[in-house]
Amino acid sequence: MYLNLDRVEFTMTYHCTGRCAHCSQGEMSGHPPGHLPYALCEGVLTRLAQRFPLRSAMCFGGEPLLWPEDTVALLREAKAAGISRRQVITNGYFSRDPARVAQVAGWLGEVGAEVLLSADAFHQRRIPLSAALDFARRLAADGRCRLRIHPAWLQGPQGQNEWDEETRRVLAAFVAEGFAVSSGNQIAPAGSAARHLGRYFSRPADLDGSFRCGQAPYTTPLDRGETLSVLPDGTVALCAFSIGDLRCQGIDEIVDGYDPFARPDIAALLQGGVAGYRAYAGEQGVEVGEEGLYTPCDLCRRLTEKRHLQEGAEVRQAGPADRAAALALAGKLWPGSGAEELAEDLAPCFSGPDGAIFLAWQAGRPVGYAQCQLRRDYVEGARPGPVGYLEGIYLEPDCRGRGLSRRLLERCEAWARGRGCRQFASDCDFGNAASQSFHRRAGFREVGRIVCFLKEL
């Protein structure tokens, strides 16, 4: 086990009512749209709290209270699971309806939330101070939350610059009404902050290639992960690295399947530091410059982002020219079958109308396999008529947790739909909990279980 979790962070959305100059997310591209619905991560905290001594569950964004029902549902589950710190970071400006603001304040009180209200020069240049004060007053009147004003500092509480000086004036308005102020956080030179506030940050001439994973403040090495992140699209991540996808995996499958040394990218970082990871990325044809980077962690993130862009997987139906690739992956899915037997079984899928194979390709390498066929005889639980059937699905270990299995399944479903099918079926071994979890999360429902018998004649 390479995880020692004590904290889970939920990025509820990248949408925000502020779009402040200091935001680390503001200028970054490629964010998943929408927000994180509670239905996608229901039960995650309950299960993790049974396995790890979780002390904190945090919701932030963007502005998490733009979707308060989902945010509060997560905090409510955290409370039921016995997680002592149930935190939310908000700017307090999520609705212009006073009744709605009061309602959300009451919900946060019900779950005993620890509310970190972002108030400083950056937020108050975009958000009315009166709105933040009003939300603080409503929380204080409810009395069931632990409220602290949580400023962002450019250089620190004593900083001699226009931003920190203005932040001190903003905080004075809250202190005058008796609100507690946290130590806040130091702004990192990323996203909007790098663009708008770059002159306040000093950049080293060369980034330290010997820098090791876990040496940065508030981080731990990826083979001893303490903080798990859930992103708005259901991606589960450790630092900059995706390790799972709640849209098609259960949290137990993600946690149990995490082995950083089975992932060439993470292993390169752990064993060779940032220089080792950079060398690994270079072998994959990924090169990045150091312009605009301030820390080795920035370099690690940029390499990861570019790798994901460059390694974007393509899913397509296999033809006769893909026979060798399909057989190689099928052999890993069904290792007990011989090569000749597999070749015979798969042949109709390359030429006949009643079967198809889809392959996922990444940087020219076949990494995923899905086989589907039409079944015209009896299918357990299905209505009469042709039924699409998922015969098997496989992903290489280093490509799991990125949503590829869902994409392969969607192509199989579309193929079956195009042949007049109105239902799609599958099966798995009775004891294969990971496969059962995948099927349920992909929208399948269980329709029956059978016990098979055999006797010699």
Side-chain angles (χ1 to χ4, degrees):
M1 176 64 71
Y2 296 98
L3 297 173
N4 185 29
L5 300 179
D6 68 357
R7 178 183 179 89
V8 184
E9 298 179 344
F10 298 88
T11 303
M12 301 304 297
T13 181
Y14 290 112
H15 294 293
C16 190
T17 52
R19 301 185 181 90
C20 305
H22 74 303
C23 181
S24 63
Q25 309 292 343
E27 301 297 332
M28 297 182 181
S29 61
H31 288 319
H35 77 288
L36 177 65
Y38 175 64
L40 187 59
C41 47
E42 183 177 1
V44 166
L45 287 174
T46 301
R47 186 65 187 123
L48 290 177
Q50 293 170 349
R51 301 185 58 175
F52 301 96
L54 295 185
R55 62 177 181 82
S56 171
M58 174 178 278
C59 298
F60 57 93
E63 175 46 58
L65 295 183
L66 288 171
W67 283 274
E69 288 84 358
D70 296 284
T71 298
V72 172
L74 274 167
L75 298 178
R76 186 175 293 115
E77 182 179 328
K79 181 179 181 180
I83 300 172
S84 59
R85 301 190 70 181
R86 303 174 292 277
Q87 301 170 293
V88 58
I89 298 180
T90 174
N91 62 35
Y93 191 52
F94 51 90
S95 175
R96 291 187 175 92
D97 180 0
R100 177 66 163 169
V101 174
Q103 180 185 45
V104 173
W107 288 346
L108 292 171
E110 290 173 8
V111 297
E114 179 180 339
V115 179
L116 300 173
L117 179 57
S118 299
D120 45 54
F122 306 99
H123 287 90
Q124 267 50 73
R125 288 194 183 186
R126 304 285 300 182
I127 295 168
L129 177 59
S130 59
L133 279 167
D134 177 68
F135 188 54
R137 291 171 187 142
R138 292 181 185 276
L139 291 171
D142 181 89
R144 292 175 293 177
C145 290
R146 181 188 178 195
L147 169 64
R148 290 182 294 158
I149 311 305
H150 192 62
W153 298 102
L154 184 55
Q155 295 173 332
Q158 308 304 319
Q160 299 302 307
N161 60 78
E162 60 171 313
W163 295 98
D164 289 341
E165 290 170 359
E166 186 176 338
T167 291
R168 288 192 287 271
R169 291 192 292 271
V170 169
L171 295 179
F174 289 92
V175 172
E177 297 195 24
F179 294 114
V181 178
S182 76
S183 58
N185 63 280
Q186 198 83 17
I187 294 169
S192 292
R195 178 179 178 182
H196 299 297
L197 306 170
R199 66 184 183 278
Y200 294 101
F201 301 103
S202 59
R203 184 184 173 281
D206 296 295
L207 296 178
D208 183 6
S210 64
F211 191 86
R212 312 294 291 192
C213 180
Q215 286 183 333
Y218 314 115
T219 67
T220 53
L222 291 174
D223 59 348
R224 298 194 298 276
E226 295 180 356
T227 299
L228 203 64
S229 299
V230 182
L231 305 184
D233 66 346
T235 295
V236 178
L238 283 173
C239 199
F241 295 88
S242 165
I243 67 166
D245 187 339
L246 290 174
R247 293 170 296 182
C248 53
Q249 294 175 284
I251 192 63
D252 283 315
E253 179 185 353
I254 293 171
V255 168
D256 292 337
Y258 177 63
D259 180 351
F261 296 102
R263 287 269 303 264
D265 51 354
I266 299 179
L269 177 62
L270 288 171
Q271 295 167 347
V274 172
Y277 182 41
R278 193 172 196 174
Y280 166 78
E283 293 171 359
Q284 314 305 309
V286 177
E287 301 286 347
V288 300
E290 296 185 4
E291 303 82 10
L293 302 181
Y294 292 84
T295 69
C297 286
D298 292 340
L299 177 58
C300 182
R301 280 189 287 269
R302 180 174 288 185
L303 285 166
T304 302
E305 289 167 4
K306 187 167 183 181
R307 280 185 53 238
H308 287 170
L309 288 174
Q310 188 160 318
E311 295 177 358
E314 175 190 9
V315 176
R316 66 173 186 261
Q317 186 170 350
D322 301 314
R323 190 184 305 270
L327 285 170
L329 292 173
K332 296 180 180 182
L333 175 60
W334 295 295
S337 300
E340 292 184 4
E341 178 186 356
L342 279 176
E344 182 178 347
D345 289 343
L346 301 189
C349 296
F350 295 111
S351 56
D354 287 353
I357 292 171
F358 292 90
L359 298 179
W361 298 82
Q362 196 163 54
R365 167 191 168 214
V367 298
Y369 172 97
Q371 179 184 342
C372 54
Q373 291 184 221
L374 296 185
R375 292 198 179 184
R376 304 180 188 278
D377 54 357
Y378 174 76
V379 174
E380 185 78 24
R383 296 186 296 270
V387 175
Y389 208 94
L390 181 67
E391 302 291 347
I393 189 166
Y394 172 82
L395 280 177
E396 294 282 31
D398 63 327
C399 295
R400 295 172 186 172
R402 302 180 187 178
L404 281 178
S405 57
R406 175 64 68 92
R407 289 177 60 190
L408 285 163
L409 175 60
E410 288 172 350
R411 291 297 301 272
C412 290
E413 291 173 346
W415 174 87
R417 195 177 296 114
R419 280 152 182 78
C421 297
R422 293 296 175 264
Q423 291 187 295
F424 196 82
S426 182
D427 63 65
C428 69
D429 288 339
F430 186 85
N432 192 337
S435 181
Q436 292 175 36
S437 175
F438 165 75
H439 281 82
R440 292 191 185 98
R441 290 179 178 274
F444 290 93
R445 70 181 189 279
E446 185 175 320
V447 294
R449 299 192 177 204
I450 62 172
V451 179
C452 300
F453 298 95
L454 176 72
K455 66 181 295 185
E456 300 295 335
L457 298 178

